[in-house]
Amino acid sequence: MMLCLNTGYAQTSLTKNTSFKPGENWYDESGHIINAHGGGLFFYNGTYYWYGEIKKGKTSRVPDASWENYRVVAGGVSCYSSKDLLNWKYEGVALPAEKTDSANDLYQGNVIERPKVIYNARTKKFVMWLHIDSKDYAAAKSGVAVSDKPQGPFTYLHSERPNGNMARDMTIYQDDDGRAYHFYSSEENATMHICLLSDDYLSHTTNDKRILINLSREAPAIFKYNNRYYLITSGCTGWAPNEASYAVADSIMGDWTQNGNPCKGADANKTFYAQSTYVLPVDAAKGKFIFMADRWHKTNLEDSRYIWLPLTMNNNVPEISWTDSWTIDELKK
Ligand code: DGJ
């Protein structure tokens, strides 16, 4: 059986997923491989939504780049929904790429990466921010899109350099007080910035702070535990895996202290051959989270895999260990 409704390849029989199996092919409810890379999760009205980069087609290397700039046509942003985080329904393309107009930010020859969605209770809009770039990553911008529904379609508004700063890898964090912050790798990826978004979440305020100065960190993923903020990042080695580290702050715009690697055990120094993208609270009060990462397959980016692992707090220290198979019930214990 070959189903052609979706962005990935189909499996021959439809079976329910009963445990997370990091690194294995992960099929959606229609039997297609989930295509949502560099993704983020969003919980709304009892449903989880997973947004990510659609990577489909042949990977090629951009000629004349001084680094291993492997690229695949940008397919836009996909959206999946789930009640249990294991079994995902494909909701469609939340933000499509532009096929012909090379002047459009969303042109498929550009970079469309790391989409993150939050909900603005004042405007009643779902807001997506994402990394928008030229294929050589020189544009270094952030794009924003809005929708009335979590699954989209999102209307793309524009891209900008926050307060004039370069912006590449990014995430969005919505705090308990409703304020939202944009974390972005800036200054040629040497320094991370945190910028408070406007009340409608559609633009940047001038409250923009430099953190992890000259530490060259990217792939930010943030969570809150015990009234402190934790930021997991990777080093900057293109698609190749490297060692993660985490930073901690007592207030989001306060001082961030860089700590060690949250990953433990074999392959911890390579983040289990993956790179952070998001941390989802499962039982935050008890220090139980899911660490979401991408295992990039640089010469076949479409075949990049998802590494979701339990993250548990141990004496205020995040710990992520490899496990071949695990469940939410085990994490919650
Ligand atoms: C590392 C970033 O984290 C990824 O999102 C992607 O931009 C690659 N670099 C490209 O090499």
Side-chain angles (χ1 to χ4, degrees):
M1 175 182 70
M2 181 72 186
L3 300 171
C4 299
L5 301 169
N6 208 333
T7 54
Y9 294 114
Q11 65 180 350
T12 45
S13 64
L14 300 181
T15 48
K16 276 221 148 208
N17 300 315
T18 52
S19 67
F20 297 98
K21 293 185 173 153
E24 292 198 7
N25 277 328
W26 194 346
Y27 295 91
D28 69 13
E29 288 181 350
S30 64
H32 293 83
I33 290 177
I34 293 174
N35 198 333
H37 308 276
L41 286 204
F42 167 60
F43 186 64
Y44 180 75
N45 255 351
T47 300
Y48 292 96
Y49 294 88
W50 178 359
Y51 305 87
E53 305 155 14
I54 301 170
K55 293 195 177 308
K56 185 136 186 69
K58 195 175 169 323
T59 297
S60 57
R61 189 167 170 180
V62 177
D64 303 325
S66 57
W67 56 291
E68 288 191 314
N69 188 1
Y70 287 99
R71 301 275 314 124
V72 65
V73 160
V77 177
S78 57
C79 177
Y80 295 80
S81 66
S82 172
K83 298 281 186 196
D84 65 2
L85 294 165
L86 268 174
N87 295 285
W88 292 90
K89 176 184 170 212
Y90 178 58
E91 294 283 356
V93 179
L95 183 69
E98 160 61 37
K99 288 205 164 35
T100 49
D101 178 10
S102 60
N104 189 308
D105 274 0
L106 299 176
Y107 177 55
Q108 61 180 12
N110 286 345
V111 168
I112 302 174
E113 288 183 345
R114 297 188 178 269
K116 304 289 176 288
V117 171
I118 52 176
Y119 177 66
N120 190 300
R122 292 184 198 203
T123 61
K124 303 199 176 351
K125 298 277 184 199
F126 298 85
V127 179
M128 177 189 292
W129 281 92
L130 63 170
H131 173 196
I132 294 290
D133 226 319
S134 44
K135 70 176 180 190
D136 60 359
Y137 288 82
K141 292 167 128 190
S142 305
V144 60
V146 282
S147 175
D148 294 326
K149 291 183 293 180
Q151 66 272 35
F154 281 76
T155 304
Y156 187 71
L157 300 178
H158 64 271
S159 67
E160 62 196 40
R161 280 189 165 188
N163 293 302
N165 302 314
M166 297 176 91
R168 293 200 181 104
D169 276 12
M170 53 145 281
T171 195
I172 297 290
Y173 182 72
Q174 187 179 39
D175 211 342
D176 308 329
D177 61 5
R179 291 196 180 126
Y181 300 84
H182 183 195
F183 286 65
Y184 61 97
S185 298
S186 191
E187 305 176 33
E188 297 290 3
N189 292 349
T191 295
M192 186 75 63
H193 282 229
I194 310 173
C195 188
L196 174 68
L197 294 178
S198 57
D199 287 348
D200 61 7
Y201 302 164
L202 298 181
S203 60
H204 292 89
T205 68
T206 53
N207 189 357
D208 191 310
K209 186 180 170 84
R210 301 173 76 220
I211 66 163
L212 313 185
I213 295 168
N214 290 329
L215 294 184
S216 294
R217 308 302 300 175
E218 59 183 5
I222 176 167
F223 62 98
K224 192 175 187 177
Y225 171 69
N226 220 355
N227 288 321
R228 301 180 89 199
Y229 299 85
Y230 291 78
L231 174 64
I232 298 178
T233 58
S234 74
C236 296
T237 53
W239 299 111
N242 55 54
E243 186 169 1
S245 70
Y246 73 96
V248 185
D250 289 332
S251 70
I252 204 157
M253 285 305 208
D255 293 331
W256 286 81
T257 308
Q258 182 77 322
N259 287 278
N261 184 359
C263 302
K264 306 289 166 213
D267 303 324
N269 62 342
K270 297 281 185 213
T271 317
F272 313 111
Y273 296 97
Q275 186 184 31
S276 43
T277 187
Y278 199 77
V279 173
L280 180 77
V282 172
D283 187 347
K286 289 198 180 140
K288 310 284 185 173
F289 300 84
I290 300 177
F291 173 71
M292 290 170 55
D294 296 283
R295 181 176 284 170
W296 302 117
H297 186 163
K298 70 179 179 189
T299 55
N300 182 8
L301 285 163
E302 178 178 348
D303 185 42
S304 300
R305 305 290 172 89
Y306 311 105
I307 305 295
W308 288 24
L309 289 168
L311 183 162
T312 53
M313 297 303 291
N314 185 1
N315 286 326
N316 294 324
V317 173
E319 289 185 353
I320 306 164
S321 297
W322 180 265
T323 165
D324 290 336
S325 172
W326 63 279
T327 64
I328 295 284
D329 286 345
E330 287 161 8
L331 170 64
K332 278 186 175 165
K333 266 184 204 154

